[in-house]
Amino acid sequence: MTTHPPLLIQGADVAGGGAADVLVVDGTIRAVGPDAATDAPTGTQRLGADGLVLLPGLVDLHTHLREPGREDAETVETGSQAAALGGFTAVLAMANTTPVTDSAEVAETVHDLGRRAGYVDVHPVGAVSKGLAGQELAELGLMARSRARVRVFSDDGRCVHDARLMRRAMEYVKAFDGVVSQHAQDPRLADGTACCHEGELSGRLGLPGWPAVAEETIVARDVMLARHTGSRVHVAHVSTAGSVEVIRWAKAQGIDVTAEVTPHHLMLTQDELVGYDPTYKVNPPLRPAEDTLVLRAALADGTIDAVATDHAPHVRQDKEHAFTDAAFGMLGLETALPVVSTVMVAEGAMGWADVARTMSTAPARIARLSDQGQGVVVGAPAHLTLVDPGRRTTVDATLSRSLSRNNPWHGRKLTGAVHLTMLRGKVTAREGLVWGEDA
């Protein structure tokens, strides 16, 4: 096993709780606090971190790595590098690959590609239905028992709209404490052409409407199915105030529901669509400002559990079309932390402890990743993210580590930047460079 020299991180603000020294030895946090320097063995490297914030490694519940099948848009390696630069130590790779991740063999392929790359832990998400067709359950049990140990299942990109199939999936995953992550989109209310929040703007732009109720009715149905089955359900990329209302009610009833929100739904609104720029075509669509404000408040108060990127790379020939013909999705791994820092922390809505909760602890718990999200505590694996909270950067899409360039943040100034990422004691990214480039 590869070993890495001991490292003493000196003076970092540990998740907003005050400055402390943190000693990392053999991939584990050995000491936190004033005694950390005393305990440091011979040969320990020292990293001055005054003014920086130390977080547990970030965990992304919702990443599209495109491999196998669309390696022209992204590979597990390039996506992992982008994730490391964004402060992530674990990502969950969605199942809409080619072939679909609906079998143990494909799940293990993705898992092994992640281990080979070595920048982040890559955990495949299994499809709920075979071929994402919504007709027959995929090999849920086999994927769960495989060496990939799949615990999250989703047909993301498509809704599991058949209530009977959704119920069966929820019942099945209970046996191994799995969870179904739902792309909430009733296809009878918002079909595959829907691409703009339904309202005055969609009418004025002449774009097919994607009404909020198409999301909200599925969320409402699924929380009731979760109550009926006694199982868990996770709501992917929540985008409307109505969905927040349903999730808040369900949690008050004791229903085991969790939810995520994307960085782009926290910052961007439907007004971006006025110029018909396909970069901003995403599913679910960007919503009105009033929904955005509700999403921010729900993340801050814990109704929404986690931030998830929905990183969705696309090659130019799939994205650079008329708005209605372009592919859905935008990049997010490298900019998620700065967006949350800008929108939530700099505005005073959340502190760094909340960032640790929503971008590390909660997503790790939802995905049942026992070695992630443990916090900056003695004995925990050294999955760490060091952040410069005051650094202002202007996003340059041409510098993205992703193979694709559908970056909605290009030219925007964001506050907060990832300084260093560490996976089991190995520095995987530092000041814009990934492991292997900083020698």
Side-chain angles (χ1 to χ4, degrees):
M1 184 177 72
T2 303
T3 59
H4 306 284
L7 177 66
L8 180 66
I9 303 171
Q10 297 177 299
D13 180 2
V14 179
D21 294 346
V22 176
L23 176 64
V24 175
V25 180
D26 294 333
T28 302
I29 298 174
R30 174 74 61 84
V32 178
D35 295 332
T38 305
D39 295 340
T42 302
T44 296
Q45 298 179 356
R46 283 166 164 76
L47 174 63
D50 289 349
L52 303 182
V53 175
L54 187 64
L55 302 173
L58 308 184
V59 176
D60 187 18
L61 286 167
H62 195 142
T63 301
H64 297 274
L65 295 181
R66 302 304 186 207
E67 189 176 13
R70 288 305 305 266
E71 291 84 356
D72 54 337
E74 195 78 284
T75 67
V76 170
E77 181 169 13
T78 60
S80 294
Q81 290 177 346
L85 288 169
F88 291 93
T89 54
V91 299
L92 278 80
M94 282 293 167
N96 57 340
T97 50
T98 306
V100 171
T101 308
D102 58 4
S103 68
E105 290 78 12
V106 181
E108 289 178 346
T109 295
V110 175
H111 172 265
D112 293 347
L113 286 168
R115 287 180 63 87
R116 196 173 306 141
Y119 296 97
V120 298
D121 288 343
V122 176
H123 298 275
V125 173
V128 175
S129 66
K130 290 183 178 180
L132 307 179
Q135 301 296 317
E136 184 180 356
L137 283 183
E139 297 176 358
L140 309 184
L142 292 178
M143 287 188 279
R145 293 191 295 272
S146 74
R147 65 174 176 271
R149 289 184 53 80
V150 178
R151 289 297 180 270
V152 180
F153 299 86
S154 181
D155 279 2
D156 184 63
R158 303 181 186 181
C159 178
V160 183
H161 61 86
D162 185 310
R164 182 180 179 185
L165 188 69
M166 187 66 175
R167 173 186 173 177
R168 290 181 60 208
M170 286 184 179
E171 291 172 336
Y172 201 108
V173 301
K174 281 181 64 178
F176 43 81
D177 196 23
V179 66
V180 178
S181 175
Q182 176 69 288
H183 175 113
Q185 178 183 2
D186 187 326
R188 292 175 180 259
L189 295 174
D191 63 19
T193 68
C195 58
C196 179
H197 174 76
E198 185 177 280
E200 183 275 332
L201 184 66
S202 64
R204 176 155 53 88
L205 298 179
L207 296 175
W210 203 122
V213 72
E215 174 176 303
E216 295 154 3
T217 53
I218 296 295
V219 174
R221 183 203 72 179
D222 286 353
V223 298
M224 297 307 290
L225 286 174
R227 181 164 74 172
H228 177 75
T229 60
S231 189
R232 296 196 289 146
V233 67
H234 179 73
V235 185
H237 42 51
V238 174
S239 71
T240 77
S243 291
V244 169
E245 184 180 2
V246 173
I247 293 163
R248 183 175 286 118
W249 173 86
K251 288 189 170 188
Q253 304 304 307
I255 299 171
D256 200 349
V257 57
T258 54
E260 69 187 40
V261 64
T262 70
H264 47 272
H265 285 111
L266 288 172
M267 178 177 275
L268 306 177
T269 72
Q270 64 175 1
D271 293 342
E272 305 290 347
L273 275 59
V274 170
Y276 294 99
D277 184 345
T279 303
Y280 297 105
K281 183 180 179 182
V282 66
N283 190 0
L286 301 177
R287 301 293 187 180
E290 49 266 35
D291 288 284
T292 302
L293 294 175
V294 171
L295 294 173
R296 294 178 189 177
L299 181 66
D301 70 22
T303 302
I304 294 176
D305 301 83
V307 174
T309 70
D310 197 4
H311 176 83
H314 290 291
V315 294
R316 292 181 61 179
Q317 57 264 36
D318 291 338
K319 197 66 173 171
E320 295 183 0
H321 291 281
F323 195 92
T324 53
D325 298 325
F328 290 99
M330 52 183 62
L331 302 186
L333 282 170
E334 294 169 83
T335 50
L337 189 281
V339 171
V340 172
S341 173
T342 301
V343 172
M344 303 301 294
V345 180
E347 294 296 320
M350 290 187 356
W352 288 107
D354 299 310
V355 175
R357 168 177 57 82
T358 58
M359 298 191 73
S360 180
T361 306
R365 171 179 52 80
I366 292 165
R368 299 303 192 251
L369 305 182
S370 60
D371 66 337
Q372 294 279 348
Q374 293 186 23
V376 186
V377 295
V378 174
H383 306 310
L384 299 170
T385 302
L386 197 58
V387 178
D388 185 342
R391 184 176 174 187
R392 293 269 292 170
T393 55
T394 301
V395 178
D396 185 346
T398 66
L399 302 179
S400 174
R401 187 57 55 126
S402 172
L403 292 180
S404 297
R405 291 293 177 264
N406 52 312
N407 191 327
W409 312 105
H410 180 69
R412 295 177 188 267
K413 293 185 182 296
L414 301 175
T415 301
V418 174
H419 180 81
L420 177 147
T421 308
M422 177 179 289
L423 177 71
R424 280 183 287 276
K426 180 179 85 172
V427 175
T428 55
R430 184 170 183 174
E431 297 183 273
L433 298 173
V434 295
W435 175 71
E437 294 179 331
D438 54 352

